[in-house]
Every structure is written in structure tokens, then in C-alpha cells.
Amino acid sequence: TKHPEPFQKLVHQGMILGTDGEKMSKSRGNVVNPDDVVDVHGADALRLYEMFMGPLEAVKPWQTSQVAGVVRFMNKLYNVVQAAVDNGDSVEMDDETTRILHKTMKKVTEDIESMSFNTAISAMMVLTNHLQGLKGNVPREAAEKLALMVSPFAPHIGEECWSLLGHGESLAYHPWVEFDEALCIDNTVKMGVQVNGKKKGEIEIPKDADQDGAMAEAMKQQSVTNFLEG
């Protein structure tokens, strides 16, 4: 063309099929009206489910029953943020939570750039489950970062959580999350322990551990010592 293109990237998104796996059409009677989904579950749930269905370029069948999965995710996220609000600034992040948070921020940031929205949402689900597992001891910083990350996918609950955390201004004016690359690298690895080809346990060792170190850690496993002594 003689003139500059008005966009930087062109992506052809896949088609969403009806629940029967066929192209939606009135003649087939398999058309899903998004307004009906919004009326029942809200616009955020519709947006999240559409992006969570699979890769953007893939052809995917619609399954209304699976919308409930993203609704549960939103409810968990809200409860996690509420727990952080109740705690105020009294809870400090432990090392495990810090690393999971930074890995999630890295994953979501990179996945948005590559339009891999389904895996970005999956990463936030993992983080939310971890925070929920803290039994109410949710650090405020983690809740704020989570609210910021979810906002491009579910802007309404993102803003609601941001306001709940005491911010008067919209999160749209807040800078995007920043991650520490060093905290995204695992210092340890998990390794299965086998005796005579049968798994007897799992150990976690430093990434640079040698064979002797790994063997010593494996020998601490009760299931291994019981087998060798028996």
C-alpha cells in the first residue's frame, strides 16, 4: 500500500462453534446469545470464558456449562482480595508466595503480548488458588498485583477489587505490574525417587546438586529406607 498500515499486527481469530460442534446458525438452532450469558453470569464471566476456551486462533465449541468455572475463579479472586483487605498490612509475603507472584506476573505479561489469553488466565487461577490456600493470610501486595493483572480480562471485578483495596482512582491509571526475573527462576527442582523401577517418593533438591547429594536426600525418604531395610 502507499500509506502506512493503521495497525501493527493482524491476527485471524478462530471461530466459536455451537454446542453441537457445528457453525452457529439460526437454521440449526444452535446460536448462543451472549446477552443471555451476561444476564445470568455478567459481562466479566463472558469475557473470561471466551478467552479461556483455548488459543485465540483455534476453532472451539461453545459449552455453557463451563462458564461456571470462570465464575468460581472470580468468586475466589474476590474472596482473596477481601481477605487481604481484612488483614491490612499485617501479613508479609513468604518466599514461596513471592516467587509464585513474580512468575505469574511474568507469564501474564508475556502471554498478553503474544495474545495467549487462555494460558494467562490459567496462571492467574493457579496464583489465586495458592493465595486461597494461605487460609486468610493473604498479603496486600499480592492481592493488588492480582487485581491489576485480571483487569484486562475482567475489568469490572478488577475495578471492584481495586476499590475494595482502598484506591480512589481507577486502576486504569496505575502502571502495569513489574516482575523480577531473578525471582522467576527456580533454585530447586523436584525429582522422583525410584527403587527397582517403582516410584517410592519425591525429593526437592538444589538445581546444582550432584549425584551424591541427590542420593543422600533420597535416602532420607521413609518409603525408600523401609524398602531397603525390608
Side-chain angles (χ1 to χ4, degrees):
T1 60
K2 296 181 180 180
H3 305 284
E5 293 288 354
F7 46 81
Q8 299 295 320
K9 182 194 294 186
L10 173 64
V11 177
H12 295 285
Q13 65 185 39
M15 182 182 297
I16 296 180
L17 306 176
T19 55
D20 55 0
E22 299 290 338
K23 182 179 179 180
M24 291 188 192
S25 69
K26 290 183 179 179
S27 61
R28 291 193 178 98
N30 63 350
V31 175
V32 177
N33 188 338
D35 291 341
D36 295 337
V37 181
V38 173
D39 288 342
V40 176
H41 300 290
D44 277 352
L46 174 64
R47 287 168 56 97
L48 275 171
Y49 176 64
E50 286 185 320
M51 288 183 275
F52 188 59
M53 290 175 72
L56 182 64
E57 301 86 356
V59 176
K60 307 168 285 284
W62 179 272
Q63 299 182 55
T64 302
S65 60
Q66 293 190 3
V67 178
V70 296
V71 173
R72 286 194 297 271
F73 163 58
M74 291 193 299
N75 290 338
K76 286 181 182 180
L77 188 149
Y78 185 87
N79 291 336
V80 161
V81 171
Q82 183 63 64
V85 172
D86 294 341
N87 292 329
D89 296 322
S90 62
V91 178
E92 294 185 4
M93 272 201 294
D94 57 30
D95 182 67
E96 181 184 10
T97 301
T98 300
R99 289 185 177 277
I100 292 175
L101 175 61
H102 280 262
K103 288 178 184 178
T104 305
M105 292 191 290
K106 174 181 171 68
K107 177 69 173 169
V108 173
T109 300
E110 293 177 350
D111 282 356
I112 288 176
E113 289 293 327
S114 63
M115 294 189 175
S116 302
F117 304 128
N118 58 317
T119 51
I121 294 171
S122 179
M124 287 187 287
M125 288 179 172
V126 172
L127 173 61
T128 302
N129 287 338
H130 171 78
L131 295 177
Q132 187 183 45
L134 298 178
K135 307 300 182 184
N137 297 315
V138 180
R140 179 183 178 87
E141 181 185 351
E144 288 189 337
K145 302 296 187 186
L146 182 56
L148 284 167
M149 286 188 287
V150 81
S151 62
F153 305 89
H156 298 95
I157 194 171
E159 289 285 0
E160 177 69 19
C161 290
W162 192 247
S163 176
L164 197 64
L165 287 160
H167 297 281
E169 189 177 51
S170 168
L171 56 68
Y173 298 106
H174 195 278
W176 182 246
V177 296
E178 295 183 356
F179 58 88
D180 185 341
E181 190 72 50
L183 292 172
C184 298
I185 301 173
D186 289 323
N187 294 323
T188 61
V189 293
K190 290 184 178 181
M191 179 182 296
V193 178
Q194 291 185 340
V195 179
N196 292 340
K198 294 183 179 180
K199 186 174 180 180
K200 295 297 180 180
E202 189 175 75
I203 58 175
E204 187 169 349
I205 57 176
K207 290 180 67 175
D208 57 354
D210 56 18
Q211 182 174 337
D212 292 339
M215 285 291 292
E217 192 65 32
M219 293 300 292
K220 295 178 183 178
Q221 298 290 307
Q222 189 66 44
S223 56
V224 175
T225 55
N226 288 344
F227 183 86
L228 295 177
E229 291 173 357

